[in-house]
């Protein structure tokens, strides 16, 4: 009946299998309730969206478990990838912070005001009582130094990551 867009039949299937499916995913996720809820909901969304194409060979419960297991694996892979990315960003952030601290104090201050406080060159010049040309020179030299040090210390890959993240450095600090 679900294949004929019968939402009442779908609701009955949901009510019949949601608890069993939730318990199945809880075991897979070692007790991660939020993940289990998310996977169960997503499983039933997929069932509803693909209701006209579903072919159940043995049991509907087995089919649901297969779909939810695949979703669980995708979500787990996504979370692992996010953690790796966060770890890489943290490593880059620490490396950039270390390199910034190697800059002469005036250059370091200009760099931080620009990329962490997001002040304009004009605002930095006014705040520090220096010319805009001096601010620009400090920024160019800082960026060049940062790029050279990253390349020397971590290779082109890290430098590429840092350049990609450059617009969001404020998020990293």
């Amino acid at each position: 009946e679900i294949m004929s867009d019968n939402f009442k039949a779908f609701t009955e299937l949901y009510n019949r299998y949601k608890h069993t499916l939730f318990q199945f995913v809880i075991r897979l996720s070692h007790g991660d309730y939020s993940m289990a809820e998310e996977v169960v909901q997503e499983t039933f969304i997929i069932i509803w969206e693909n209701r006209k194409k579903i072919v159940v060979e043995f049991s509907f419960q087995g089919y649901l478990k297969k779909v939810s297991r695949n979703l669980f694996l995708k979500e787990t892979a996504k979370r692992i990838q996010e953690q790796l990315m966060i770890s890489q960003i943290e490593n880059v952030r620490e490396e950039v912070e270390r390199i910034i601290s190697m800059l002469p104090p005036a250059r370091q201050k200009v760099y931080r005001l620009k990329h962490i406080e997001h002040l304009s060159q004009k605002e930095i010049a006014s705040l520090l009582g220096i010319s805009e040309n001096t601010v620009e020179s400090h920024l160019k030299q800082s960026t060049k130094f940062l790029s050279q040090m990253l390349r020397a210390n971590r290779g082109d890959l890290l430098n590429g990551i840092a350049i990609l993240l450059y617009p969001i450095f404020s998020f990293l600090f």
Side-chain angles (χ1 to χ4, degrees):
E1 291 183 46
I2 186 177
M3 292 180 179
S4 62
D5 296 340
N6 185 335
F7 194 71
K8 185 178 179 200
F10 174 75
T11 303
E12 286 177 28
L13 282 173
Y14 175 77
N15 288 330
R16 184 182 311 156
Y17 292 110
K18 68 180 178 183
H19 183 71
T20 303
L21 202 54
F22 183 79
Q23 292 304 316
F24 173 70
V25 180
I26 280 288
R27 283 192 307 277
L28 289 176
S29 67
H30 302 289
D32 187 334
Y33 282 83
S34 66
M35 181 189 248
E37 287 176 351
E38 188 177 318
V39 168
V40 169
Q41 292 298 318
E42 189 65 29
T43 298
F44 282 102
I45 289 169
I46 286 172
I47 297 301
W48 179 253
E49 289 175 346
N50 296 295
R51 63 193 173 278
K52 298 206 187 281
K53 299 182 253 177
I54 294 174
V55 177
V56 178
E57 292 181 27
F58 299 107
S59 75
F60 190 71
Q61 183 174 331
Y63 182 79
L64 283 173
K65 284 183 175 181
K66 183 178 178 182
V67 171
S68 64
R69 181 180 174 277
N70 288 341
L71 286 169
F72 166 77
L73 292 173
K74 281 182 185 177
E75 181 62 24
T76 300
K78 185 175 113 185
R79 288 182 181 195
I80 290 169
Q81 196 170 23
E82 286 171 357
Q83 286 303 313
L84 287 172
M85 185 72 133
I86 288 167
S87 175
Q88 287 178 332
I89 288 171
E90 183 60 25
N91 288 340
V92 170
R93 188 202 63 76
E94 288 172 4
E95 184 74 10
V96 168
E97 181 56 37
R98 188 185 68 74
I99 293 168
I100 291 169
S101 69
M102 294 167 66
L103 292 167
R107 197 167 293 157
Q108 192 177 135
K109 186 166 193 105
V110 168
Y111 184 89
R112 290 181 190 283
L113 288 170
K114 177 68 177 170
H115 295 292
I116 297 170
E117 302 295 325
H118 304 291
L119 298 181
S120 69
Q121 289 185 18
K122 187 174 189 170
E123 291 169 324
I124 295 169
S126 174
L127 182 69
L128 298 179
I130 58 178
S131 73
E132 285 185 55
N133 286 340
T134 302
V135 171
E136 186 176 346
S137 174
H138 279 312
L139 291 172
K140 282 182 181 176
Q141 291 176 23
S142 298
T143 303
K144 182 178 177 184
F145 180 73
L146 182 67
S147 180
Q148 288 172 340
M149 291 299 290
L150 284 170
R151 193 175 298 116
N153 293 344
R154 295 286 187 97
D156 291 330
L157 176 64
L158 183 60
N159 190 46
I161 292 170
I163 289 169
L164 285 173
L165 296 176
Y166 191 79
I168 56 168
F169 272 153
S170 62
F171 155 74
L172 297 173
F173 292 98

